[in-house]
Amino acid sequence: MSIVDLRSDTVTRPTAAMRATMAFAEVGDDVYGEDPTVRALEERLAGDLNFAAGLFVPSGTQSNLCALLAHCQRGDEYLVGMDAHTYKFEGGGAAVLGSIQPQPIEHAADGTLPIDALQRACKPDDPHFARTRLLALENTWHGRVIAQDYMIAAAAWAHSHGLGVHLDGARLFNAAIASGKPARELAAPFDTVSVCLSKGLGAPAGSVLVGSCELIRSARRWRKMLGGGMRQSGILAAACIHALDHHVERLADDHARAARLAEGLRGIDGIAVVGQHTNMVFIDIPADRLRALDAHLRAHDVRASIGYLPTVRLVTHLDIDDMGIEKVVEVFRTACPEPV
Ligand SMILES: *Cc1c(COP(=O)(O)O)cnc(C)c1O
């Protein structure tokens, strides 16, 4: 029986149709700017999101890092959420490789960074301080769609203080589908936007950074320095174009399945469903049950990221169907036979 893997939407494997498109992709050397499929992807996403230029990179981490490096110089600072991916989950790359200082800001419960907190953190021009240069936001943030009114206000605040604004839109299309707003509208307040094709969209690898010609030219230079200049990468770009053509609308199915999963788990003693946003479900499990639950799930071919924190994140994606959801609910039910 096949494994139902809820650890992340990065675990998706390319579909047969995607592999067929990859096999016949027209390719060239992209470092020479000669891969037509990579160019088509960059132009496609830049056009869709209404930006002048795009840059194909191997990962979302590298896309965000190229953006931070394009916006900031050594000794600059960026304002970023304490639980934001670019701050917390990217190895400190901006500081390590860019000499860019992060200024973490506490998130409000809805995931926003309150503008008065941004205002307090934004430094005046004074040699004591790093130069505040950039605001980096994220959508979706831990599955949550961030209110567009907030994005518009925060970007306007940043621009009025001379800061650039970057969006880590790893799951921008999940936000678009869930909110019913076009992705280009969600992207509009920002100077640069990074989008992952390798999450719910199902490509095997790849992110695209979009922005102005000037910022993307700088990001392209950084991509080369970071080792992200790939050669016949049209093979991968073809998968990304296929994902944009065929896997965007269906994100609604992942969201519906996450809602169904949350509903199924809500009826089980010993599990507290603490949130469901887009394709993610968050549950709290008593700490002393975590190891037994992990073993039980593994024994029944269900995978979840169970660490030592009581909150467990379950993520739906392209490779999980309705039967998979029913199976997961059943496996959780048998793992929790009586109240603990
Ligand atoms: C996954 C993710 C990224 C990029 O991750 P990679 O694994 O490097 O592709 C960036 N930001 C967010 C919010 C993500 O979820």
Side-chain angles (χ1 to χ4, degrees), residues 8-10 58-64 83-86 89-90 138-142 168-171 194 196 198-199 206-207 280 313:
S8 173
D9 46 9
T10 56
S59 71
T61 297
Q62 190 172 99
S63 184
N64 283 325
D83 277 316
H85 203 279
T86 64
F89 301 100
E90 297 181 5
E138 190 172 313
N139 202 10
T140 60
W141 175 74
H142 297 267
D168 177 357
R171 296 186 182 85
S194 170
C196 281
S198 60
K199 300 241 159 114
S207 282
M280 297 183 187
R313 183 189 78 163

Side-chain angles (χ1 to χ4, degrees), residues 38-47 49 53-60 62-64 67 166-170 172-173 192-198 205-211 216 237 240-241 244:
V38 170
R39 283 184 162 185
L41 171 65
E42 291 172 344
E43 284 166 21
R44 157 80 183 273
L45 209 45
L49 299 180
L55 180 69
F56 182 52
V57 285
S59 71
Q62 190 172 99
S63 184
N64 283 325
H166 172 67
L167 178 67
D168 177 357
L172 180 70
F173 286 102
T192 47
V193 178
S194 170
V195 176
C196 281
L197 286 309
S198 60
S207 282
V208 174
L209 179 69
V210 298
I216 295 302
C240 295
I241 293 171
L244 290 171

Side-chain angles (χ1 to χ4, degrees), residues 282-294:
F282 297 89
I283 57 175
D284 272 2
I285 305 287
D288 60 356
R289 298 264 313 140
L290 286 170
R291 301 278 64 83
L293 177 67
D294 196 22

Side-chain angles (χ1 to χ4, degrees), residues 19-206:
R19 286 176 190 263
T21 317
M22 295 170 76
F24 294 103
E26 215 186 312
V27 296
D29 189 320
D30 181 54
V31 174
Y32 292 134
E34 290 172 4
D35 190 301
T37 310
V38 170
R39 283 184 162 185
L41 171 65
E42 291 172 344
E43 284 166 21
R44 157 80 183 273
L45 209 45
D48 285 358
L49 299 180
N50 199 25
F51 285 82
L55 180 69
F56 182 52
V57 285
S59 71
T61 297
Q62 190 172 99
S63 184
N64 283 325
L65 182 55
C66 286
L68 296 174
L69 289 163
H71 281 283
C72 299
Q73 307 288 314
R74 179 176 193 218
D76 287 352
E77 152 183 284
Y78 72 117
L79 308 178
V80 61
M82 242 154 73
D83 277 316
H85 203 279
T86 64
Y87 172 58
K88 199 171 172 181
F89 301 100
E90 297 181 5
V96 174
L97 301 170
S99 300
I100 304 163
Q101 163 170 294
Q103 169 61 70
I105 309 285
E106 210 167 319
H107 297 265
D110 63 359
T112 61
L113 309 178
I115 290 174
D116 58 347
L118 297 175
Q119 181 68 53
R120 280 195 300 277
C122 186
K123 320 275 185 301
D125 184 1
D126 177 313
H128 287 91
F129 301 131
R131 293 170 300 245
T132 311
R133 274 297 304 141
L134 178 72
L135 170 63
L137 298 173
E138 190 172 313
N139 202 10
T140 60
W141 175 74
H142 297 267
R144 285 174 180 74
V145 179
I146 304 295
Q148 189 61 8
D149 287 352
Y150 166 79
M151 293 302 206
I152 292 167
W157 171 85
H159 286 143
S160 75
H161 288 72
L163 313 186
V165 195
H166 172 67
L167 178 67
D168 177 357
R171 296 186 182 85
L172 180 70
F173 286 102
N174 292 83
I177 293 295
S179 66
K181 291 184 164 67
R184 66 157 52 205
E185 184 183 333
L186 301 183
F190 299 93
D191 302 307
T192 47
V193 178
S194 170
V195 176
C196 281
L197 286 309
S198 60
K199 300 241 159 114
L201 296 181

